[in-house]
Structures are given as structure tokens and as C-alpha cells.
């Protein structure tokens, strides 16, 4: 048996090696070129640039991504990195659908580069945020935070915690947002992270329509030189809602000058076009037209973002594809079966018989254990029943009217009561042991309370020979006078019937 297992294990191992070698038949040159592209993309990324936009060729990056995507795991160690760079390039070229697909593929690459995975999930969260899918964006940011934590990159982890809080703020979830922000400020001392938490607070106040708090928070940001277009837009909206047209116009103009995103542009143009006291009709027409253009562009981008989010939702809801695993298992099964048949034919009858004997021994052990368990359970039941009978006897014998309460003077009535309540004891004594009426009465008294010789003599109207009489009855039952009480209790409980 041991030899059989060795043969099967050896052949299976060889089969796995052959399969791995076949899967790893990648071209050394193409792999080396793809790795060089990843190294260049990393270098540009550390400079704050994007490969294919600020340097390098986008087609080369696409070719490297495809090459890595078709490499097996052992050959494609940079698959996660190239997917990240290629996905960033596609986002920069306003192609969120393909970018999302690339990021999704990267999450299935089984890479252990948690830093890259953190950035990939962060990008997926950003796409969801732009599409207005804030709960899904929160989920992706949460995954990203976990990756950075596994990578021990605490700074990125806290940035992602703030991104999660930002999505909660978008939904107006005050308590959850403040809890996350408090956790960040308590454990993180980085100034950049704290600045981002102020931005999140401003957004929360905007969602809660606390316009004064929005302005105060953004003033704090601007006092340290932070003038992001999103904050300018929030401030313009706050002044507009507070009916401070001059300040609203000022910040709306600054938003437009900063070449904002379409969503910010729409908000800024709305404020500018609705401040009729400070601009003429021609300006209103121009602003309204510009706002319409921004809305069309925004709607077009939203449709693509919605498609990207749909891809992510389909991936999250899809069932895992194990076809590759089934193929490997089928191959191993065929090889293993063939080897097993070959090995089986080499075994002699002695080994087969030995296996059968072992099986029988195992079954025998199991049956013995089961039998012992049944016996133990039966003994526990009998002991419990004997205790109950003992208690019932005590109750009857300690009653004031004992033995009249068991119809002592009427043997037939007493026999019926004892038979009904004490396991047909009278019938057993008559049919099995052939005792007389007086002998049965003695047994009933001994079972009930095991009285002294004098008490027995008085109840049975027997003389000094009561002890001899008791010994003779006990002998008939196969016991002695000392153990007679216990014997009768057990006989009543059917612990033994003879």
C-alpha cells in the first residue's frame, strides 16, 4: 500500500512539473522587454508622470500588458504593476471602461504586491466616485486600505481611510464620517492627511446644508495655501445658498479660471448665470450656453463611467471561473488513474487480503465501541430508574398510613398496585421465583423500607424466626438478606429479570 502511494505521488509530481514547464513556455526576450517597460513606467510614476502621456509609448505599454496577461504566474511577476500603469494610462486618455477592465484583471492576477493592489483598488474607487456610486466607491477604498495595511504603508492607509470618509460624507452620513475622521486625527500626525480630512469635513457640512461651517472649514484650508477647485466650488455654493452674491460670484469665477472638471463647471456656471444683479443678459446667455456644453460633456463622461461601474458590479457578482483548475485536475486524474491501474495489477493477493483484514478490524473496533456505548447508556438509564423507584418507595413508606396506603390487608389490591407501579414485581416473584403470599409480602416490605426484624415480624405476624424466614426468601431469589433490598429494586427496574 505504501509503495502504491509513493508511485502515485511521484507520477503526479512529475505531471505537475511537466504542466508548469509547458505553461511557462514564455519567450525570454518578450518577457525581458515587458519588464523593461514596467521599470520605465515605475520611474516615471515616481516622478509624478504617466507612461504613455509624459514619456514612453502607449502602444508599447499596451503590448507589455498583453504579454504579461498571457504569461503564467511564475513568469509574470510584474503583471500587477503593468496593469496599474496601463489602467492609469487608459484613465488619462478618458477611457474608464477599458481601465476598469484592466484593474479588474489585475485583482485576479494573484499578485502579492499589496502596494500595487492598494493603488489599483483606489483607482477603481475613484471611477465609482466619479460615476456617483458612492457606496461601491467606499467598498473599493476599503479594499485599498486593507492592501496598504498589509503592505505596512500606514500613510497610504490613512489617506484611504479619509477617502472612505469622503464617500460617507457624500451620502450625508454624519456619525460614520465623524467616527472615521476622529480615528484618523487620533492616530495619524501627517499634515497632508489632516488637510484632506478638512476637505472631507467641508463636504459633510455641504451635504448637511451647514453652509456657514463649509465656509469656515474651507477658510482653514485656504489659510494654509490649499486652493483645490473642489473646495472653491463648495465655497461658491455655500455663499450662493447664503445669498451672498458677491462672494459667490468671486469663487465661481475662480472655479471657471481653474479649468475645472465638468461637474464643478456646471455648478460654477449655474451660480454665474443666476447672479442677474451683476451681469447683463448677453453674459447670462453666454454662461448658460457654456453650462449646457459642460452638461453635455459631463453626461457623455457619465455614460462611460456607468459602463465601467457595471463591469465592476458584474465581476463582484460573478461566479469564479475554475475551468483552468478543472483542466489541470482532469489531466492529473487521467495520469493518476492510469498509474493506479498499473500499480494495482502489480499487487499480489496477500496485500489485498491484508487490506480487507484491516477493514474488518476497523469495522469490528467500531462495532465494539458502539456496543460499549449502548451498554453504558443502558446502565445509566437503569441506574436513573432505580433511583426513581427508590424515591417512590421512600415516599410511600414514610406516609403516616403506611402500609395501609398500599392496601396491605387486601393482597389482590396490593398486588395490582405493586405490579402497576413497580415493574410487575409481584408477577415476577410468583411466576419466576414461585414465592408464596407471605414471602411476597416480605419482599414488598423489604423493597419499600427494608424494616428491622421486629417491624417485619409485627407486620407479617411472624415470631422470632423472622430472620431465618428472610434469609430463606433471599436464598430463593439468589441473594442474601443484606442485599435483598437492592436486589428487589433492581428487579423492579428490570436491570435483571432472573
Amino acid at each position: 500500500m505504501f509503495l502504491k502511494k509513493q508511485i502515485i505521488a511521484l507520477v503526479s509530481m512529475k505531471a505537475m512539473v511537466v504542466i508548469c514547464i509547458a505553461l511557462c513556455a514564455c519567450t525570454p526576450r518578450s518577457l525581458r522587454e515587458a519588464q523593461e517597460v514596467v521599470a520605465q513606467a515605475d520611474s516615471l510614476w515616481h516622478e509624478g508622470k504617466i507612461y504613455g502621456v509624459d514619456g514612453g509609448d502607449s502602444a508599447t505599454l499596451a503590448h507589455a500588458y498583453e504579454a504579461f496577461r498571457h504569461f503564467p504566474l511564475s513568469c509574470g511577476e510584474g503583471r500587477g504593476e503593468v496593469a496599474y500603469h496601463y489602467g492609469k494610462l487608459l484613465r488619462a486618455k478618458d477611457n474608464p471602461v477599458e481601465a476598469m477592465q484592466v484593474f479588474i484583471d489585475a485583482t485576479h492576477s494573484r499578485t502579492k504586491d499589496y502596494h500595487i493592489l492598494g493603488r489599483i483598488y483606489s483607482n477603481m474607487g475613484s471611477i465609482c466616485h466619479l460615476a456617483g456610486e458612492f457606496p461601491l466607491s467606499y467598498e473599493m477604498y476599503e479594499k485599498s486600505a486593507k492592501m496598504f495595511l498589509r503592505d505596512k504603508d500606514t500613510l497610504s492607509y490613512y489617506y484611504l481611510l479619509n477617502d472612505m470618509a469622503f464617500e460617507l460624507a457624500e451620502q450625508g452620513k454624519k456619525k460614520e464620517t465623524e467616527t472615521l475622521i476622529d480615528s484618523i486625527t487620533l492616530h495619524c500626525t501627517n499634515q497632508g492627511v489632516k488637510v484632506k480630512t478638512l476637505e472631507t469635513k467641508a463636504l459633510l457640512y455641504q451635504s448637511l446644508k451647514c453652509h456657514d461651517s463649509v465656509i469656515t472649514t474651507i477658510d482653514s484650508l485656504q489659510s494654509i495655501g490649499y486652493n483645490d477647485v473642489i473646495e472653491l466650488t463648495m465655497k461658491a455654493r455655500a455663499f450662493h445658498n447664503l445669498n451672498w452674491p458677491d462672494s459667490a460670484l468671486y469663487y465661481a469665477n475662480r472655479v471657471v479660471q481653474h479649468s475645472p472638471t465638468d461637474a464643478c463647471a456646471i455648478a460654477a456656471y449655474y451660480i454665474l448665470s443666476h447672479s442677474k444683479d451683476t451681469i447683463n443678459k448677453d453674459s447670462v446667455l453666454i454662461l448658460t450656453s457654456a453650462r449646457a456644453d459642460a452638461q453635455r460633456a459631463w453626461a457623455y463622461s457619465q455614460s462611460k463611467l456607468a459602463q465601467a461601474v457595471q463591469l465592476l458590479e458584474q465581476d463582484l457578482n460573478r461566479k469564479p471561473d475554475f475551468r483552468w483548475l478543472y483542466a489541470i485536475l482532469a489531466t492529473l486524474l487521467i495520469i493518476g488513474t492510469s498509474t493506479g491501474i498499473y500499480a494495482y495489477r502489480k499487487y499480489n493477493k496477500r496485500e489485498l487480503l491484508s487490506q480487507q483484514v484491516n477493514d474488518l478490524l476497523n469495522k469490528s473496533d467500531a462495532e465494539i465501541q458502539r456496543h460499549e456505548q449502548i451498554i453504558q447508556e443502558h446502565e445509566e438509564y437503569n441506574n436513573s430508574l432505580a433511583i426513581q423507584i427508590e424515591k417512590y418507595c421512600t415516599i410511600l413508606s414514610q406516609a403516616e398510613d403506611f402500609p395501609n396506603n398500599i392496601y396491605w390487608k387486601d393482597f389482590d389490591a396490593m398486588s395490582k398496585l405493586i405490579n402497576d407501579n413497580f415493574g410487575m414485581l409481584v408477577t415476577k416473584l410468583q411466576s419466576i421465583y414461585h414465592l408464596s403470599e407471605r414471602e411476597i409480602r416480605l419482599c414488598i416490605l423489604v423493597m419499600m423500607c427494608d424494616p428491622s426484624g421486629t417491624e417485619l415480624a409485627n407486620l407479617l405476624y411472624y415470631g422470632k424466626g423472622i430472620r431465618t424466614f428472610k434469609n430463606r426468601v433471599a436464598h430463593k431469589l439468589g441473594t442474601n438478606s443484606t442485599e435483598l433490598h437492592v436486589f428487589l429494586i433492581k428487579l423492579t427496574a428490570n436491570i435483571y429479570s432472573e
Side-chain angles (χ1 to χ4, degrees), residues 59-257:
T60 303
L61 184 58
H63 177 73
Y65 169 72
E66 289 298 327
F68 269 109
R69 195 162 71 93
H70 291 93
F71 285 159
L73 299 180
S74 58
C75 295
E77 295 176 357
R79 182 177 172 184
E81 290 179 90
V82 74
Y84 168 69
H85 293 304
Y86 188 46
K88 288 279 288 184
L89 173 62
L90 291 171
R91 284 196 66 190
K93 291 184 176 294
D94 195 25
N95 192 346
V97 179
E98 289 190 22
M100 180 64 82
Q101 187 60 65
V102 169
F103 291 140
I104 290 172
D105 290 342
T107 62
H108 297 303
S109 67
R110 298 178 181 82
T111 178
K112 298 300 181 183
D113 190 337
Y114 298 118
H115 184 82
I116 286 296
L117 280 174
R119 293 192 173 276
I120 287 170
Y121 279 120
S122 176
N123 274 268
M124 294 165 76
S126 297
I127 293 173
C128 295
H129 172 82
L130 293 173
E133 296 290 340
F134 305 126
L136 188 55
S137 178
Y138 177 92
E139 184 179 343
M140 292 300 105
Y141 284 146
E142 186 177 31
K143 288 178 179 289
S144 177
K146 289 179 180 178
M147 292 299 108
F148 284 127
L149 193 61
R150 293 185 70 175
D151 191 53
K152 299 181 180 179
D153 184 352
T154 54
L155 182 59
S156 297
Y157 169 72
Y158 285 117
Y159 270 114
L160 263 297
L161 283 187
N162 179 73
D163 288 339
M164 290 163 61
F166 197 84
E167 299 310 306
L168 294 172
E170 284 278 15
Q171 301 170 71
K173 296 183 176 181
K174 183 176 183 294
K175 183 178 179 180
E176 294 89 336
T177 305
E178 290 177 341
T179 300
L180 262 181
I181 291 175
D182 290 343
S183 176
I184 294 168
T185 54
L186 178 64
H187 298 99
C188 182
T189 58
N190 183 270
Q191 188 61 31
V193 175
K194 290 185 176 181
V195 168
K196 296 299 288 184
T197 59
L198 288 176
E199 179 184 277
T200 301
K201 284 184 177 180
L203 178 63
L204 177 62
Y205 294 140
Q206 176 178 279
S207 299
L208 300 175
K209 298 182 181 180
C210 300
H211 306 301
D212 290 331
S213 298
V214 172
I215 295 169
T216 302
T217 305
I218 295 177
D219 283 343
S220 300
L221 286 168
Q222 291 176 331
S223 67
I224 56 176
Y226 193 79
N227 284 293
D228 188 87
V229 67
I230 296 176
E231 282 67 49
L232 295 176
T233 305
M234 285 194 286
K235 199 167 186 179
R237 281 177 170 171
F239 280 124
H240 178 74
N241 288 319
L242 290 171
N243 198 25
W244 292 0
D246 292 341
S247 297
L249 277 174
Y250 171 75
Y251 284 104
N253 277 313
R254 288 189 63 183
V255 171
V256 174
Q257 292 168 5

Side-chain angles (χ1 to χ4, degrees), residues 217-382:
T217 305
I218 295 177
D219 283 343
S220 300
L221 286 168
Q222 291 176 331
S223 67
I224 56 176
Y226 193 79
N227 284 293
D228 188 87
V229 67
I230 296 176
E231 282 67 49
L232 295 176
T233 305
M234 285 194 286
K235 199 167 186 179
R237 281 177 170 171
F239 280 124
H240 178 74
N241 288 319
L242 290 171
N243 198 25
W244 292 0
D246 292 341
S247 297
L249 277 174
Y250 171 75
Y251 284 104
N253 277 313
R254 288 189 63 183
V255 171
V256 174
Q257 292 168 5
H258 276 71
S259 300
T261 60
D262 294 332
C264 292
I266 293 169
Y269 285 132
Y270 176 85
I271 293 170
L272 291 172
S273 62
H274 283 74
S275 299
K276 297 181 180 180
D277 295 337
T278 56
I279 57 176
N280 55 44
K281 292 182 179 180
D282 292 337
S283 297
V284 171
L285 184 62
I286 294 171
L287 291 170
T288 303
S289 176
R291 182 167 180 261
D293 292 339
Q295 286 177 322
R296 282 192 292 272
W298 180 80
Y300 176 70
S301 67
Q302 285 299 109
S303 65
K304 293 191 290 184
L305 290 167
Q307 293 177 44
V309 170
Q310 188 177 19
L311 279 178
L312 177 58
E313 289 175 337
Q314 290 173 353
D315 179 72
L316 293 174
N317 296 324
R318 75 179 179 88
K319 295 181 179 179
D321 184 4
F322 291 120
R323 287 178 295 179
W324 63 274
L325 179 60
Y326 297 151
I328 293 176
L329 290 177
T331 303
L332 292 176
L333 181 62
I334 293 170
I335 296 172
T337 303
S338 302
T339 305
I341 294 172
Y342 174 79
Y344 178 77
R345 289 176 178 175
K346 296 297 181 180
Y347 281 110
N348 54 39
K349 293 182 180 180
R350 183 184 61 81
E351 291 173 328
L352 179 60
L353 181 60
S354 176
Q355 181 61 42
Q356 291 173 344
V357 170
N358 288 335
D359 291 341
L360 289 173
L361 289 174
N362 291 335
K363 289 180 181 178
S364 176
D365 290 341
E367 286 297 323
I368 291 172
Q369 291 178 359
R370 190 171 68 86
H371 179 68
E372 290 176 350
Q373 182 179 358
I374 291 172
I375 291 174
Q376 182 181 355
E377 291 175 353
H378 184 66
E379 288 178 352
E380 290 175 355
Y381 170 77
N382 286 338

